[in-house]
Amino acid sequence: MSAEMIPAGSATAGTGGHGGVSAPGGPGTAGGADGEDVLLEVHDLKTYFPVLGGILRRRVGNVYAVDGVSLDIRRGETLGLVGESGCGKTTLGRTVLRLETATAGSVRFDGQDVLALQGRELKRMRGRMQLIFQDPYGSLNPRMPVLDIIGEGLLAQGVKDSRERTKRVEDSLEAVGLRRDYTRRYPHEFSGGQRQRIGIARALALRPDFIVCDEPVSALDVSIQSQILNLLVQLRHDFGFTYLFIAHNLSVVQYISDRVGVMYLGKLAELAPVAELYERPLHPYTVALLSAAPQVDPRVKRRRLVLRGDVPSPVNPPSGCHFHPRCWLRERLGNPEICSTVDPTLTVAGPGHTVACHFAERTRAEHEHLVAEGVPSGAAVPPEAAVPPAATA
């Protein structure tokens, strides 16, 4: 990989326990000994979409896609974000990148207020914040060759020299394990894994500091998923990238992340270092998610917590704790009124561990009891994850 592609001012991350890299304080820690080197700060972010009705198409309500999320992402860290479909994960990532308009709150990137940027300042900032899309085919223009697909962003950022643009495109392809002469090919000439590598190369070409990975492996075969995951880990090691990694697969998130946030119906339910969250979850929703994670070893005893009912509508979310209509712990506690009347705030429950639950300590005790009965404490890392990142999908 070319040293020219390393983003200016980016420190190369160290080696982590998964064969990848670690956060400033090591994998799964809350931060370095010298404090937090925060790259992205999100505070009370809200993104509402209007619901229009009537003949005049007036606003009659809102879709509360992101409803007061606060989190920090440290430089060189991978923050995983999990939750059911429709919980607001993708909208959060797109709002941070200014692809969606925030209703309220603040987003600060490297000390700058992202939501206040306009014109040239916003354009420069966009070069430092990139997105890897979920669909490796739909995100690529089928009428453009790879050179133009990747080079389009460079051209928009002011790289007018065609020879320099071509070289940076070829360097990006080489960095993701593809041949340099693939620049003349079109998207339909590649496999799904190769197309996703092209999408990663497009983000890589602009030398960003921060990348939002929006379910980048969910549309790929399992064997190809492991190659793409290892590629992302290797790129983070080489270039010091910071990731917001959005996914459904708990095993994938456990493998690649330093910290994990759990979202439910537009809110952040729990945030903790990866080892802490998988071993000692403090939110009933997190416990239910972990109990549903598939196990590789068939000998592992398992008892799943099946949540009752469907996810409530984000147009009319429940009062109090959004999770209380489906909460298994609330039923065991005799349906306390506080769950349905008071919205819990994120509170510190340990080093780097925050949770939004009125009965977090009771959740810990119940989880330990469930583990003893056979509910697994965490998702197992798939054995395919050992595929070398340099292998071409």
Side-chain angles (χ1 to χ4, degrees):
M1 299 185 188
S2 174
E4 297 178 2
M5 297 183 60
I6 299 178
S10 295
T12 303
T15 301
H18 299 310
V21 293
S22 64
T29 61
D34 57 346
E36 299 179 355
D37 184 13
V38 176
L39 179 65
L40 181 74
E41 301 173 76
V42 179
H43 179 68
D44 198 25
L45 187 64
K46 299 178 181 179
T47 305
Y48 301 161
F49 299 110
V51 177
L52 306 179
I55 298 176
L56 300 178
R57 305 297 293 167
R58 293 178 176 173
R59 188 171 190 154
V60 296
N62 292 305
V63 175
Y64 300 94
V66 178
D67 193 14
V69 172
S70 297
L71 54 84
D72 295 339
I73 303 180
R74 303 175 183 94
R75 198 180 304 272
E77 173 184 49
T78 297
L79 177 66
L81 201 60
V82 299
E84 293 172 284
S85 296
C87 71
K89 305 184 301 297
T90 295
T91 302
L92 174 62
R94 292 176 65 88
T95 304
V96 166
L97 298 178
R98 286 285 297 271
L99 296 179
E100 301 289 354
T101 302
T103 304
S106 66
V107 177
R108 299 190 68 83
F109 179 78
D110 208 8
Q112 288 188 282
D113 186 353
V114 175
L115 303 184
L117 295 178
Q118 299 293 335
R120 292 182 179 178
E121 292 183 346
L122 177 60
K123 185 177 180 180
R124 284 195 296 267
M125 182 63 71
R126 288 192 187 279
R128 300 182 62 194
M129 306 169 70
Q130 288 296 300
L131 174 64
I132 299 173
F133 294 91
Q134 176 180 358
D135 186 351
Y137 188 72
S139 62
L140 305 178
N141 191 329
R143 301 190 177 202
M144 295 173 63
V146 170
L147 177 62
D148 293 341
I149 290 174
I150 300 177
E152 191 174 27
L154 294 169
L155 187 62
Q157 288 292 326
V159 183
K160 305 298 183 182
D161 188 285
S162 60
R163 287 178 296 181
E164 181 185 354
R165 201 162 58 244
T166 299
K167 182 180 183 304
R168 287 178 61 173
V169 170
E170 291 176 347
D171 288 344
S172 300
L173 290 175
E174 187 176 44
V176 299
L178 297 177
R179 289 166 46 181
R180 301 177 73 90
D181 60 359
Y182 281 177
T183 54
R184 298 185 294 272
R185 296 190 182 185
Y186 287 80
H188 72 271
E189 300 180 74
F190 297 95
S191 66
Q194 288 174 324
R195 285 195 286 262
Q196 191 61 291
R197 289 173 184 265
I198 293 170
I200 296 172
R202 176 171 54 188
L204 187 65
L206 290 169
R207 303 172 182 172
D209 297 306
F210 174 65
I211 300 177
V212 175
C213 306
D214 184 14
E215 301 187 38
V217 298
S218 63
L220 305 176
D221 294 338
V222 174
S223 61
I224 306 302
Q225 287 183 19
S226 61
Q227 295 179 31
I228 297 300
L229 286 175
N230 284 336
L231 171 64
L232 291 172
V233 170
Q234 186 64 46
L235 290 174
R236 179 186 165 198
H237 177 273
D238 291 339
F239 303 137
F241 291 141
T242 302
Y243 293 142
L244 174 61
F245 191 91
I246 299 169
H248 290 286
N249 191 319
L250 292 169
S251 298
V252 166
V253 173
Q254 183 184 22
Y255 174 69
I256 199 171
S257 302
D258 296 305
R259 290 188 299 148
V260 179
V262 180
M263 284 191 69
Y264 183 81
L265 211 62
K267 291 182 175 290
L268 198 62
E270 189 168 4
L271 178 64
V274 60
E276 176 75 12
L277 185 92
Y278 279 73
E279 293 298 327
R280 289 174 290 276
L282 296 180
H283 197 284
Y285 179 59
T286 308
V287 174
L289 286 180
L290 292 176
S291 75
Q295 294 295 305
V296 176
D297 189 349
R299 297 169 297 177
V300 175
K301 294 177 62 179
R302 171 183 167 192
R303 184 179 141 228
R304 180 177 175 181
L305 287 171
V306 180
L307 299 179
R308 297 182 180 180
D310 298 323
V311 180
S313 171
V315 178
N316 186 27
S319 60
C321 175
H322 285 0
F323 185 60
H324 86 262
R326 307 174 68 200
C327 183
W328 56 270
L329 179 63
R330 180 172 179 259
E331 292 182 2
R332 295 191 180 191
L333 298 178
N335 297 322
E337 185 179 356
I338 189 174
C339 295
S340 59
T341 57
V342 179
D343 186 12
T345 58
L346 277 174
T347 56
V348 178
H353 197 157
T354 56
V355 61
C357 180
H358 297 297
F359 302 98
E361 286 304 318
R362 184 61 185 270
T363 304
R364 186 198 300 271
E366 290 289 336
H367 175 255
E368 292 174 354
H369 178 67
L370 290 169
V371 170
E373 290 183 352
V375 176
S377 59
V381 177
E384 304 92 88
V387 178
T392 301

